[in-house]
Amino acid sequence: MLKSSNLNSVIDQLDADRTVSGAAVVPENNNKLVKTDDNGCSMAALQMSFGVLEIAEPPLVRVRAQLKELIGKQNKFYIDVSKEKYKLDCSEVAKLIDMMNDVKRYKERLVKIKKDMQSIYQRSKVLKKRAANVATCKQRDYQRKLEKQQQEESLIGGQLQ
């Protein structure tokens, strides 16, 4: 297995492996000699692998660098969050919990006051309507009383003459 991604070092490693193991020469169908190493890989296959490696290596190196950068930023963020977490000691947490309970209690009071105001509004609306009806009734009674008084005066005035 190849350990290095550097093309020159890979070629040097393959050459060294061939000299140690002794590369065999295998004839092909068209009577040409193809050099192979001890694993049975032809030179064309190795060159093709090197070509693919040349094409794929730069983006992989760039992606690896970006991943390292992202991991570094993630670790920095994690450390910052941990620091902020530990800054909040028990007393601050207790204060925060008390404040949240106060907010809940004030919200309940506000809802109760709102309901009371709606009730008062409804009652005042009914009372205004009732007051208007009473005023009209009083005015009608007063009109009738005036008419009755005028009628009695006219009757009394008619008897005196």
Side-chain angles (χ1 to χ4, degrees):
M1 186 108 212
L2 301 175
K3 295 180 182 178
S4 174
S5 62
N6 187 343
L7 184 59
N8 291 331
S9 64
V10 170
I11 292 172
D12 293 341
Q13 180 69 30
L14 285 173
D15 288 340
D17 288 345
R18 278 194 210 115
T19 56
V20 170
S21 66
V25 177
V26 177
E28 275 191 4
N29 293 346
N30 52 7
N31 295 330
K32 290 185 181 179
L33 295 179
V34 177
K35 294 182 181 179
T36 62
D37 61 3
D38 60 342
N39 293 335
C41 294
S42 69
M43 237 2 204
L46 291 174
Q47 288 175 348
M48 189 177 217
S49 300
F50 294 142
V52 169
L53 186 62
E54 277 183 4
I55 292 171
E57 185 179 16
L60 290 175
V61 169
R62 188 176 62 248
V63 167
R64 184 178 296 150
Q66 289 173 346
L67 281 174
K68 283 182 182 179
E69 181 183 346
L70 285 174
I71 290 170
K73 287 180 180 180
Q74 182 182 13
N75 288 338
K76 184 180 180 297
F77 181 74
Y78 179 76
I79 290 169
D80 290 345
V81 167
S82 296
K83 284 179 184 177
E84 289 297 321
K85 179 183 172 188
Y86 289 116
K87 281 182 183 179
L88 293 173
D89 61 352
C90 291
S91 65
E92 290 176 339
V93 171
K95 287 179 186 177
L96 184 62
I97 290 171
D98 288 342
M99 285 174 48
M100 294 304 290
N101 289 335
D102 288 344
V103 167
K104 184 178 177 182
R105 191 171 49 245
Y106 292 146
K107 183 180 176 187
E108 289 170 358
R109 284 183 184 174
L110 182 63
V111 168
K112 185 180 181 283
I113 290 171
K114 187 176 178 181
K115 286 180 182 176
D116 290 345
M117 287 177 64
Q118 281 291 341
S119 172
I120 291 170
Y121 171 74
Q122 292 297 330
R123 288 192 325 220
S124 67
K125 194 165 95 173
V126 168
L127 286 175
K128 283 180 184 178
K129 189 175 179 181
R130 190 171 172 193
N133 286 340
V134 168
T136 3
C137 287
K138 288 280 185 183
Q139 190 175 9
R140 272 190 266 139
D141 287 345
Y142 180 71
Q143 278 293 35
R144 287 183 192 153
K145 193 175 186 182
L146 278 178
E147 287 174 6
K148 188 176 180 184
Q149 188 178 16
Q150 286 175 353
Q151 187 181 17
E152 287 177 4
E153 285 178 4
S154 67
L155 288 175
I156 295 176
Q159 288 177 356
L160 290 176
Q161 290 184 1

